[in-house]
Amino acid sequence: MKPTLQYEAPLLSNEDRFQDPFFRRFALRPAAAPLQLDEAIAKDYRFPTFYADVTCAIGIFLCDYEAARAMLPHPAMRPVAVPGGRAVVTISCYEYRNVMNVPPYNEVAFTIPVLMNAPLSVPLLPLLWGGYPGFGYYVFHMPVTSLENRIRGNRIWGLPKVTEEIDVREEDGDCVTDIRDEQGRRYFSLRVPTEGKPTEFDVAAWLYSRKDGELLRAQTNFKARFAVRKYMSRLWSRSARPEREFLTIGEGGIADRLRALQIDPHPFQFRFARGMNAAFDLPDESWSARG
C-alpha cells in the first residue's frame, strides 16, 4: 500500500462495521480535546480506536539481551530475559481494513517485550503469563501508510510512527510484508506462514511509548483465532538454520538498528490471523513511570 498523504476534515462514517460482540466491551468516549492535525483541520476522535477485519501476521524472534536493553528509554525498564543472554523482538504486521472513523491503512509494530519496575524477572514467564506485573511491549519503530495516523500516533501516544510504503500480501502459503522507505528502498521483509495450530487469543496488554521525554503506557486489546507455529528448540539450540529465509533486513537507518539487535534468523514463533478485532486506548493518565 502506497502512503496516503491526504486526509479529509470529516470523520469517516463507518460505525456499522463494528457490530461484533468484542466491541461491546468498550465504552467509546472523546479525548479531552480534538486533535489538531494541521492549521485547518481538527478531529474529535473517539477512543478506544476500534479495528475490525484485520489481517495480522506476527514474527517473534530471539535477539541479544544487551542490545535490546540499549534500545530502552528508561532505567526501570528491561527486556524480558531468555536463557543464553537473549531477549525477544516481536514484529507485528497489520492490514487494517476497517478503522473507526478513519480510512484503512497498513502498519508494522517493532516491539521489545519488557518489564517495568518489576522486582523479579523469571526468564520467559512474562511471555507465558500476560498478567505478569509490569509486563508490556516497548515500541521502537512503527511505519504506517497513513499520514493521518502518523500524526495521531506521534501526538497522542508519542509512538515512533513514520509514513512509509507497506505492502501486505499472501504468497506461496505465507503472509509477506515488505516495507520501503521514502527513497523506495525495501529495508525490511517478513514472511509468516498462514498455516499452523489453531489457537484462540483474547488478549489485553500494555504498549509503552515515550512522548516529550515522558514514558506512557496504553492498553491494546485483540481477539482472533491465530495459526501458530512454535520453535521452542531455539531456547537451547542456535546452530540450526531456518528452512528458508523468513526475515530480510536491507539497508538504511532502521535496518542498521535492527541488525544491531543481532536477531536470530530462525523464528521463535509465528502467528497469523484473518478477521481479527482490536481496540487501542488513550494513554493511561493514572500511571507514571515513577511508580
Side-chain angles (χ1 to χ4, degrees):
M1 178 181 283
K2 297 287 186 181
T4 302
L5 302 179
Q6 294 81 34
Y7 44 82
E8 303 295 330
L11 293 173
L12 179 67
S13 179
N14 63 351
E15 291 83 357
D16 60 313
R17 305 293 180 89
F18 305 92
Q19 302 303 312
D20 190 272
F22 170 85
F23 299 108
R24 293 200 289 270
R25 303 176 183 180
F26 308 96
L28 287 169
R29 67 196 190 283
L35 178 65
Q36 198 74 40
L37 295 174
D38 56 36
E39 292 183 357
I41 296 177
K43 292 193 178 185
D44 198 13
Y45 302 104
R46 292 177 293 168
F47 297 92
T49 303
F50 286 168
Y51 306 86
D53 193 21
V54 180
T55 295
C56 178
I58 301 174
I60 302 174
F61 295 84
L62 302 183
C63 67
D64 181 76
Y65 181 90
E66 292 301 330
R69 188 171 187 174
M71 280 195 175
L72 303 183
H74 195 281
M77 178 182 286
R78 59 184 185 272
V80 171
V82 175
R86 292 175 291 174
V88 179
V89 59
T90 300
I91 304 161
S92 304
C93 310
Y94 303 103
E95 189 173 22
Y96 293 128
R97 292 185 177 83
N98 297 296
V99 186
M100 176 71 85
N101 300 139
V102 176
Y105 63 96
N106 293 348
E107 183 174 79
V108 181
F110 292 81
T111 67
I112 297 172
V114 296
L115 295 174
M116 186 71 193
N117 291 320
L120 179 66
S121 175
V122 179
L124 275 182
L125 182 59
L127 292 172
L128 304 175
W129 173 34
Y132 199 95
F135 175 70
Y137 297 85
Y138 172 66
V139 185
F140 66 90
H141 183 53
M142 193 175 245
V144 62
T145 59
S146 161
L147 174 60
E148 178 177 359
N149 282 279
R150 179 187 67 76
I151 297 171
R152 276 169 47 101
N154 295 163
R155 296 185 180 174
I156 297 174
W157 297 275
L159 288 165
K161 292 196 177 190
V162 292
T163 310
E164 294 180 329
E165 179 180 344
I166 304 172
D167 178 45
V168 181
R169 66 190 184 277
E170 291 190 35
E171 174 184 283
D172 299 329
D174 294 335
C175 180
V176 183
T177 301
D178 292 327
I179 310 175
R180 289 178 170 82
D181 62 17
E182 292 182 351
Q183 288 74 44
R185 299 174 299 182
R186 188 184 72 163
Y187 69 84
F188 175 84
S189 183
L190 178 66
R191 305 185 70 97
V192 174
T194 60
E195 298 296 326
K197 181 180 179 181
T199 307
E200 299 291 339
F201 283 78
D202 192 345
V203 174
W206 295 110
L207 287 189
Y208 292 102
S209 56
R210 184 172 57 178
K211 180 174 180 284
D212 300 329
E214 293 291 326
L215 202 64
L216 305 179
R217 73 173 189 178
Q219 190 174 79
T220 181
N221 293 263
F222 62 90
K223 186 176 188 297
R225 173 176 289 183
F226 281 82
V228 176
R229 292 192 183 191
K230 298 181 180 180
Y231 304 88
M232 299 301 290
S233 64
R234 301 313 292 172
L235 292 175
W236 57 84
S237 172
R238 302 191 190 193
S239 58
R241 304 297 298 175
E243 61 197 58
R244 51 199 170 91
E245 189 175 43
F246 293 106
L247 177 67
T248 304
I249 300 173
E251 302 299 326
I254 185 59
D256 292 342
R257 291 183 70 196
L258 291 171
R259 201 170 285 109
L261 284 170
Q262 301 175 47
I263 300 172
D264 182 355
H266 197 295
F268 183 58
Q269 188 177 135
F270 282 132
R271 303 174 184 174
F272 175 79
R274 301 182 185 90
M276 184 179 82
N277 292 318
F280 185 49
D281 213 342
L282 291 166
D284 178 7
E285 294 184 352
S286 67
W287 181 82
S288 168
R290 293 180 290 274

